[in-house]
Amino acid sequence: MVSIKDVAQVAGVSVSTVSHVINETRFVAPLTKQRVIEAIKNLGFQPSMMARALKVKRTNIIGMLVSSSSNPFFADVVRGVEEGCYQHNFSLILCNSGHQPDRQLANLTTLLQRRIDALLVMTTKTDPALYDQLSKLGKLPKAILDSAPHPNACTLQDDSVLGGRIATKHLIDRGLTKIGCLMGPDDHPRSIERLQGFKTAMEAAHLPINENWLAAGMLTASGGYEAMKQILALETRPDAIFAFNDLMAMGAYRAVQEQGLSIPQDMSIVGYDDVEYASYMSPALTTIKQPSFELGLSAAETLISHLEEKTEMPPVVQLVPELIMRNSVKH
């Protein structure tokens, strides 16, 4: 196995010089540095990442806690984080809690033991115990994605109030006035904001809001299916639905079609997120595009810029949603 002493011998320099080149801890003359780099390359030397971390007090590792990596939106965010890490020679350790609070705290302990340089958190529900632990992490750079803000972390999210308004206004502009919602859990911050956007658009158009048409459920296909069935069981039904994510919209499709109804002739549906399969649904789903990949990429770049260039961490980074028109809304 090739050692740092072998590199020093081939390059004709001291071991400490090789160490300074690898760890970038001291200026080394360009010609000397080039000899060391060529020796490393020719010998196939692999520096110990842990040894380097101890010298420079950085591991170039970002840890990420998610509550569910199976959600297509979450997967796209993670893909953006991975891309940002790759572009800047950082590694990513991803931990999926499966919506289990105890497992989430255990994952956090594991990440801290790996001496991560920064932490990303993306959860569907705010766990007070987790947020209490985040407060105890001192100066460790932290970013919260699509979850409730934390006072000691940068929060990255889309403007869900605006997104809710855009979705509802699109339905109204198509002549639809009897509009219901498939909402997420009452304590989910993005769900609260999308409902606020919905109500703002309805009030601006002087349209009544029927509380019976506001059905809550988990932000999943099964959650959307059950919530949609509740609405369809009512004697008086809406003619349009704003689903708070595309998974709920997919469940709503099934519930509507099981009743022998047609989309969009009998029921118009707008989703949220614009996950990949939205354009393959039948009919193709009109939805609000949440820039999920860009959200993850921006989170990674914000943390890495803070670590490498000592830039200030902004308290909030907000991305703008946009309407993607397809075929699930009646003209």
Side-chain angles (χ1 to χ4, degrees):
M1 185 174 178
V2 178
S3 70
I4 193 171
K5 292 181 179 179
D6 298 323
V7 174
Q9 185 175 3
V10 170
V13 298
S14 67
V15 170
S16 63
T17 298
V18 176
S19 176
H20 288 311
V21 171
I22 293 171
N23 298 309
E24 299 179 354
T25 49
R26 197 189 71 183
F27 173 78
V28 177
L31 289 177
T32 303
K33 184 177 181 178
Q34 187 59 38
R35 290 206 314 272
V36 172
I37 292 172
E38 288 178 358
I40 290 172
K41 182 178 178 181
N42 292 335
L43 293 171
F45 174 65
Q46 297 292 327
S48 166
M49 294 303 293
M50 186 55 66
R52 183 180 188 277
L54 291 172
K55 284 182 177 293
V56 301
K57 297 183 180 179
R58 256 207 9 226
T59 59
N60 276 30
I61 297 174
I62 290 178
M64 186 171 186
L65 289 174
V66 300
S67 58
S68 172
S69 57
S70 60
N71 185 319
F73 167 72
F74 277 28
D76 216 26
V77 173
V78 171
R79 192 167 60 87
V81 173
E82 287 176 327
E83 180 63 24
C85 289
Y86 175 77
Q87 289 179 6
H88 296 277
N89 296 315
F90 271 68
S91 298
L92 176 69
I93 300 178
L94 178 67
C95 293
N96 180 0
S97 70
H99 302 285
Q100 300 175 41
D102 290 346
R103 183 172 173 180
Q104 195 164 241
L105 292 173
N107 286 341
L108 177 60
T109 300
T110 299
L111 291 175
L112 296 175
Q113 289 172 346
R114 296 294 297 273
R115 300 174 62 87
I116 57 173
D117 291 331
L119 176 68
L120 286 168
V121 177
M122 183 168 61
T123 62
T124 53
K125 294 184 71 175
T126 303
D127 177 29
L130 173 64
Y131 273 49
D132 181 58
Q133 288 300 310
L134 295 182
S135 299
K136 299 175 181 178
L137 296 183
K139 295 182 178 179
L140 179 74
K142 299 174 285 292
I144 309 294
L145 294 92
D146 202 50
S147 303
H150 188 278
N152 304 122
C154 170
T155 301
L156 297 100
Q157 61 193 34
D158 90 314
D159 188 341
S160 282
V161 176
L162 175 60
R165 280 172 42 208
I166 292 172
T168 309
K169 186 176 184 301
H170 176 63
L171 293 169
I172 295 169
D173 289 346
R174 290 294 185 93
L176 299 158
T177 57
K178 297 159 57 178
I179 306 171
C181 292
L182 303 185
M183 309 178 297
D186 294 339
D187 59 350
H188 190 281
R190 300 291 83 74
S191 182
I192 294 168
E193 291 166 1
R194 287 167 200 172
L195 180 60
Q196 181 184 338
F198 163 77
K199 290 182 174 180
T200 299
M202 293 290 281
E203 290 166 1
H206 306 290
L207 293 174
I209 297 171
N210 189 329
E211 296 292 333
N212 293 327
W213 297 344
L214 306 181
M218 294 302 294
L219 291 162
T220 61
S222 60
Y225 175 72
E226 295 299 334
M228 190 72 234
K229 285 207 303 183
Q230 290 178 33
I231 291 176
L232 292 173
L234 298 171
E235 186 175 341
T236 303
R237 301 170 173 172
D239 53 23
I241 288 291
F242 168 31
F244 284 12
N245 75 357
D246 290 346
L247 283 174
M248 294 194 88
M250 183 170 69
Y253 266 49
R254 178 183 171 187
V256 169
Q257 290 163 350
E258 282 182 352
Q259 291 281 323
L261 302 175
S262 175
I263 302 169
Q265 286 77 14
D266 299 313
M267 184 70 69
S268 293
I269 298 178
V270 173
Y272 206 110
D273 286 342
D274 192 32
V275 297
E276 184 179 3
Y277 64 72
S279 62
Y280 295 98
M281 293 167 66
S282 182
L285 179 66
T286 292
T287 187
I288 301 298
K289 179 177 177 60
Q290 183 174 187
S292 48
F293 177 86
E294 292 80 2
L295 189 70
L297 181 64
S298 179
E301 291 182 337
T302 298
L303 288 173
I304 293 169
S305 176
H306 173 73
L307 290 167
E308 295 194 330
E309 302 172 24
K310 308 303 179 186
T311 56
E312 287 292 324
M313 292 272 285
V316 177
V317 175
Q318 198 161 58
L319 284 73
V320 180
E322 64 173 304
L323 176 68
I324 305 296
M325 289 190 290
R326 296 194 179 100
N327 305 318
S328 63
V329 177
K330 186 178 180 180
H331 285 271

